Amino acid sequence: MRLGALLCGGELLLLDGQLGTGKTTFTQGLAKGMGITDVVSSPTFTLLKEYTSQSRSDTENETQRGLALYHFDLYRLDNPDEIIDLGFEDYFYGSDVCVIEWAAKADLLWPAERLHIRLKMISETERSLLFTAVGQRYYELLRQFHYATTSS
Amino acid sequence: MLVLGIESSCDETGAALVKDGRYILSNVVASQTEIHNRYGGVVPEVASRQQLTTILPVLEMALEQAGCSWEKIDAVAATYGPGLAGSLLVGLTVGKTLALAHTLPFLGVNHLEAHIYANWLRQENTLIASSTPEHWGYQEGDPVFPLICLIVSGAHSELVFVPEHGHYQLLGRTRDDAAGEAFDKVARILGLGYPGGPAIQKAAQRAEEELLHQQKSVAQARNSYRLPRAWLRGCYDFSFSGLKTAMLHLAEGATESNDGKQVSQYTRMGVQAAQQGIPNVALLASSFQEAIVDVLAVKTRLAAQEYRVKQVVLAGGVAANTSLRARLQQELSPLHIHLSFPAVSLCTDNAAMIASAAFFHLSLGEQHGLDLDVQPGLSLPFIKKSE
């Protein structure tokens, strides 16, 4: 089971971890789970990349746009004010999925509810991921994810 | 045809006047690299607010340097994507407004395509006589179709087949980090500063020049560290994130070995570097640059052979790297494939390339309405690979 498959829109995932810990790789997996077929590459230079998933609706008569994934990277930014200047805040309260790399650079900016994911390097081929839910919605999400991964 | 080009897709703000897509009358770029450097390697201000304050002075300077009045200008062009929505809006809105005010045709330009057209800009500014017939067709000094283009910058690493003007076939792209991004991040790991490309090139040159001075082969520096290369055989995609992580482990190995825990590749090389009078970081930079250049050059050569082109063009900020240019030349010249690349100042974001790309589209009768909106996620107008 992939975490991306459990997302239903409006989620905010904050990634933190040093260079090379797999933030972009994690997002690639998340995108796959969301049904995104595009190549997800690092947004460091562009600051933001946008992807749209295939519609997951099973009912054929319903044509709806799939979820969008907004992939942010704050690596090049130093000041939370710049994020506001860039108009990024609007996305965080939208109905799509936002993933933010180097989120700790703007700690005071985040909405009350969000999911923190802390990545650490164990060895060249191993990483540890620490998930912390803030708010009921993300607590539920993690519970579902935990249930799905342990039962399969 | 005289085109005013405007560029504001990311960090830079630029305006340029270019005649017939090839001859630069003026090319002004307000670069923020200097400011970035002062703040210690990270971009402090990429906000569109910055571009709002610089765009009008930049425009005025471009007009003044070209010494031309509005009556001489035939069209206005501005980048409409890809880039940051807020930044793109500044240049596009200014461009459309000027076109409306002066009743001139307007064209929105794809920033990526413009990087390719930087290869049409003449480096030595031989101003043509006004009687020269303007023409979008081949002129001496133009790249020759069909061609392969390697676009390498902070945001892009793409290999594209271009059979003719305006037709693009994507052969490969990065699966994770772009080449320029790898340069920047590794420069930071090595403590070499920003922007990373020139910093790494300079450090590598230091090691290579010292070896040449000692009458040794530069390969000693370039191969001093065994670094991974993601060849991804059978396709033209790139991957540089593993190389970045390998560099990180080498740098960490340095601190570990200080505690005597292990003798890493880094320590062994450090001893050798000291014997040769070369900073170890310069050897690291040289090996890293070689690993990137190796993959880029070989894959580009393979594509050129498969698509049987006689011309390869480089585009994007990393195209300024002298090692990449030299290595590609070395790969391509035995095959009689011609390599061209823009002047260093035209590799990074600039408005002259916008005006150049616009000229070729305008010559074919294309233009955009003033309702054109920014497209932050725009890619090249790729055609499907013919089976």
Side-chain angles (χ1 to χ4, degrees):
Chain A
M1 171 50 85
R2 288 179 182 274
L3 180 62
L6 296 172
L7 302 181
C8 48
E11 285 93 352
L12 179 66
L13 281 69
L14 306 179
L15 305 185
D16 275 295
Q18 289 309 302
L19 279 177
T21 46
K23 296 180 291 300
T24 300
T25 307
F26 174 87
T27 312
Q28 287 171 341
L30 192 85
K32 236 180 223 170
M34 288 174 66
I36 289 167
T37 49
D38 272 357
V39 175
V40 172
S41 55
S42 169
T44 296
F45 266 75
T46 49
L47 305 177
L48 163 63
K49 280 188 178 169
E50 184 184 334
Y51 306 90
T52 314
S53 66
Q54 309 294 322
S55 170
R56 270 190 279 153
S57 165
D58 293 327
T59 49
E60 278 177 26
N61 52 5
E62 207 181 324
T63 50
Q64 61 174 57
R65 182 183 75 105
L67 278 182
L69 168 67
Y70 295 107
H71 187 192
F72 296 85
D73 191 335
L74 309 186
Y75 178 80
R76 299 169 72 221
L77 304 180
D78 251 0
N79 185 341
D81 286 349
E82 295 165 81
I83 297 160
I84 297 165
D85 278 353
L86 288 160
F88 283 175
E89 260 191 314
D90 298 347
Y91 293 92
F92 307 152
Y93 296 90
S95 57
D96 288 299
V97 177
C98 288
V99 173
I100 292 126
E101 297 195 21
W102 298 94
K105 290 200 171 204
D107 251 350
L108 298 172
L109 204 78
W110 308 122
E113 301 206 336
R114 71 261 173 183
L115 179 63
H116 287 277
I117 301 159
R118 172 112 209 132
L119 296 96
K120 268 195 181 149
M121 200 176 296
I122 306 292
S123 73
E124 281 193 41
T125 51
E126 289 168 291
R127 304 289 185 271
S128 79
L129 281 79
L130 176 67
F131 293 78
T132 314
V134 181
Q136 186 62 31
R137 154 175 210 172
Y138 294 98
Y139 173 75
E140 277 304 318
L141 177 68
L142 279 191
R143 223 171 47 88
Q144 274 182 47
F145 183 48
H146 183 254
Y147 176 76
T149 46
T150 49
S151 65
S152 61
Chain B
M1 187 193 290
L2 186 60
V3 179
L4 168 66
I6 299 169
E7 153 68 22
S8 73
S9 62
C10 195
D11 301 353
E12 262 76 50
T13 317
L17 280 150
V18 175
K19 191 164 169 53
D20 297 341
R22 302 176 179 93
Y23 308 96
I24 301 173
L25 301 193
S26 66
N27 183 26
V28 180
V29 181
S31 172
Q32 293 171 32
T33 309
E34 252 172 58
I35 316 171
H36 300 170
N37 224 349
R38 213 185 317 143
Y39 282 79
V42 207
V43 178
E45 177 86 340
V46 289
S48 42
R49 202 160 59 183
Q50 180 78 10
Q51 273 159 335
L52 269 180
T53 57
T54 47
I55 191 141
L56 291 181
V58 162
L59 263 166
E60 278 164 17
M61 210 186 289
L63 285 165
E64 195 185 302
Q65 283 183 11
C68 79
S69 57
W70 275 97
E71 294 84 69
K72 298 258 176 64
I73 297 172
D74 299 300
V76 180
T79 313
Y80 75 108
L84 284 169
S87 300
L88 287 166
L89 261 175
V90 175
L92 186 67
T93 308
V94 167
K96 290 195 293 192
T97 309
L98 287 172
L100 178 68
H102 295 278
T103 44
L104 289 172
F106 174 79
L107 189 89
V109 172
N110 181 319
H111 179 85
L112 273 175
E113 185 179 28
H115 268 301
I116 301 177
Y117 276 97
N119 284 284
W120 269 256
L121 292 165
R122 300 302 192 258
Q123 305 196 5
E124 63 292 332
N125 227 340
T126 45
L127 255 188
I128 40 158
S130 55
S131 59
T132 311
E134 58 185 51
H135 194 45
W136 64 271
Y138 178 78
Q139 281 186 22
E140 203 186 331
D142 285 352
V144 181
F145 293 111
L147 57 84
I148 293 283
C149 180
L150 175 66
I151 308 174
V152 269
S153 68
H156 294 275
S157 297
E158 279 154 1
L159 207 46
V160 184
F161 173 57
V162 191
E164 55 182 309
H165 278 298
H167 289 251
Y168 305 96
Q169 185 181 325
L170 181 68
L171 304 182
R173 58 173 160 175
T174 183
R175 291 184 181 176
D176 38 58
D177 297 0
E181 176 184 350
F183 268 104
D184 264 4
K185 287 190 170 164
V186 167
R188 195 179 218 202
I189 292 170
L190 298 179
L192 290 172
Y194 183 92
I200 290 206
Q201 177 172 311
K202 202 172 147 199
Q205 261 165 4
R206 189 171 169 192
E208 289 163 19
E209 276 164 16
E210 180 58 35
L211 283 168
L212 283 175
H213 184 68
Q214 296 176 16
Q215 297 184 330
K216 290 175 186 157
S217 158
V218 290
Q220 275 191 32
R222 291 176 186 170
N223 302 327
S224 52
Y225 285 93
R226 276 178 290 117
L227 295 172
R229 286 150 169 78
W231 289 108
L232 307 173
R233 285 178 211 283
C235 76
Y236 292 112
D237 280 353
F238 301 105
S239 166
F240 296 113
S241 128
L243 178 58
K244 171 188 73 186
T245 310
M247 292 299 289
L248 198 71
H249 283 290
L250 276 176
E252 268 178 3
T255 51
E256 266 177 44
S257 57
N258 283 344
D259 312 331
K261 276 186 199 158
Q262 65 179 81
V263 178
S264 64
Q265 203 185 351
Y266 186 91
T267 316
R268 274 186 280 114
M269 286 316 302
V271 173
Q272 269 192 45
Q275 284 166 355
Q276 290 171 329
I278 298 169
N280 199 10
V281 71
L283 289 183
L284 269 169
S286 175
S287 304
F288 165 75
Q289 180 173 267
E290 176 67 8
I292 287 216
V293 163
D294 205 13
V295 175
L296 290 175
V298 169
K299 295 202 108 163
T300 305
R301 191 250 299 152
L302 288 172
Q305 285 176 297
E306 186 185 337
Y307 287 83
R308 295 178 187 183
V309 300
K310 287 287 161 215
Q311 171 87 59
V312 167
V313 303
L314 271 174
V318 182
N321 185 284
T322 49
S323 261
L324 176 62
R325 292 174 170 197
R327 177 61 191 279
L328 263 174
Q329 197 80 61
Q330 202 185 317
E331 293 279 335
L332 298 174
S333 58
L335 302 165
H336 307 289
I337 298 169
H338 186 245
L339 173 71
S340 62
F341 37 75
V344 171
S345 62
L346 299 173
C347 286
T348 46
D349 291 354
N350 65 84
M353 65 185 198
I354 304 298
S356 174
F359 164 76
F360 291 96
H361 283 284
L362 290 160
S363 299
L364 295 170
E366 295 171 36
Q367 71 179 73
H368 282 120
L370 295 180
D371 56 348
L372 180 72
D373 202 0
V374 296
Q375 288 187 30
L378 190 68
S379 69
L380 282 173
F382 291 120
I383 46 169
K384 288 264 187 292
K385 192 174 179 175
S386 51
E387 296 299 327

